[in-house]
Amino acid sequence: MNTVTPSIEHRELEAKHRALWALGDYASIATQLVAPLGPQLVAATGIGPGDRVLDVAAGTGNAALPAAATGATVVASDLCPELLEQGRRDAMARGVTLDWLEANAEALPFADGEFDAVLSCIGVMFAPHHQQAADELVRVCRTGGTIGVISWTPEGFIGQMFAAMKPYVPAPPPGVGPPPRWGSEEYVRGLFGDRVTDLTTERRTLTVDHFGDGAAFRDYFKRHYGPTITAYRAIADDPQRTAALDVDLARLGDRELAGASRMGWEYLLVVARRR
């Protein structure tokens, strides 16, 4: 179990991230847009009855719920209690049983090698300190167990969205990595190093048909997505910058749609085995 006492700076950063993901309505995004990713991660990692599974930065349980539906014993952990509470309600509605636990991905409250499979579906990528989070994924997975991670790629649509918002938000503290770096094959291999074997990567695309144009995409994310809401709050007292971000995000959405009715959001699927 990780027993390192976090510094004041780490506790403050944790509090900011907890508050960020409580903004808006991420549950709607999980249900309306990214729901297919969880079952794909569960299938890719071969989870089945009797497996002990941990979903890290689980949010409302996009991977945890389908993992539990296979008959696995599942713990869904996340920093944000509001997301966990929504996940509990969803699990009850589906008749699926699993445990929900508030926990920081960088300091998981579990013993070394406690789980047969450790998953994260567009979750751990948002932990501020990438190496620390990767170390925890490896630590709590048993020897021979499976680690599976889905992350948005830097080149894909969501990676481009974060790049578009970057000029409008304060610079992150030293040591905090951009989330889409988890979508780079070389970078993830470096994070896990020689502690894993049989590491495979595959770029896939999530089809999203929810938006008629770039403005609709922008407005949806302004209402629902914590990082986008935070970006707008950072420039709320500057109407010109707010208008510029409005234009940049709408233009990004229109470019992705290119007159079509669907977007393709690229992500990286990583599966590895713990040495």
Side-chain angles (χ1 to χ4, degrees):
M1 183 177 294
N2 191 319
T3 58
V4 176
T5 301
S7 66
I8 293 175
E9 292 79 8
H10 276 62
R11 289 197 295 270
E12 290 176 348
L13 186 58
E14 178 182 293
K16 288 181 180 178
H17 274 254
R18 183 181 291 110
L20 181 152
W21 290 106
L23 292 172
D25 183 11
Y26 185 76
S28 291
I29 294 175
T31 301
Q32 298 171 359
L33 305 182
V34 301
L37 297 182
Q40 290 194 33
L41 183 58
V42 170
T45 50
I47 290 169
D51 286 338
R52 300 166 299 167
V53 178
L54 173 65
D55 185 4
V56 177
T60 58
N62 265 15
L65 291 172
T70 71
T73 300
V74 178
V75 177
S77 68
D78 197 273
L79 189 62
C80 181
E82 289 85 353
L83 297 184
L84 293 173
E85 182 55 37
Q86 180 62 51
R88 288 189 186 96
R89 291 195 291 267
D90 292 346
M92 290 182 63
R94 299 189 196 185
V96 177
T97 301
L98 65 157
D99 293 325
W100 301 85
L101 181 69
E102 185 177 339
N104 189 332
E106 298 179 0
L108 295 169
F110 305 108
D112 296 356
E114 188 168 339
F115 296 94
D116 300 307
V118 180
L119 311 180
S120 189
C121 184
I122 54 172
V124 75
M125 65 180 291
F126 294 102
H129 305 101
H130 295 179
Q131 189 61 65
Q132 193 170 333
D135 291 348
E136 285 294 272
L137 296 183
V138 174
R139 181 184 66 80
V140 300
C141 187
R142 68 166 175 83
T143 299
T146 302
I147 299 170
V149 180
I150 282 179
S151 307
W152 303 120
T153 66
E155 304 85 2
F157 180 75
I158 299 299
Q160 293 178 51
M161 182 188 73
F162 275 94
M165 295 190 299
K166 183 178 179 180
Y168 299 93
V169 297
V176 173
R181 291 196 73 185
W182 274 87
S184 163
E185 293 91 334
E186 182 178 1
Y187 185 71
V188 173
R189 288 183 185 275
L191 290 177
F192 290 138
D194 61 4
R195 298 170 299 173
V196 303
T197 186
D198 301 327
L199 188 149
T200 63
T201 63
E202 181 183 352
R203 290 189 176 225
R204 296 183 180 181
T205 300
L206 173 70
T207 299
V208 177
D209 58 4
H210 196 79
F211 307 110
D213 58 21
F217 150 75
R218 176 200 63 209
D219 293 344
Y220 181 95
F221 270 68
K222 284 176 70 172
R223 291 192 306 271
H224 294 88
Y225 195 52
T228 307
I229 295 170
T230 299
Y232 275 95
R233 287 187 175 182
I235 56 174
D237 60 351
D238 190 332
Q240 288 187 331
R241 297 190 75 203
T242 297
L245 181 54
D246 273 345
V247 170
D248 287 348
L249 291 180
R251 183 181 294 138
L252 175 67
D254 285 332
R255 186 166 66 242
E256 176 65 26
L257 285 163
S261 60
R262 296 181 176 183
M263 293 176 163
W265 296 3
E266 185 183 64
Y267 62 93
L268 182 71
L269 169 66
V270 177
V271 179
R273 194 156 308 276
R274 172 76 160 96
R275 284 189 186 275

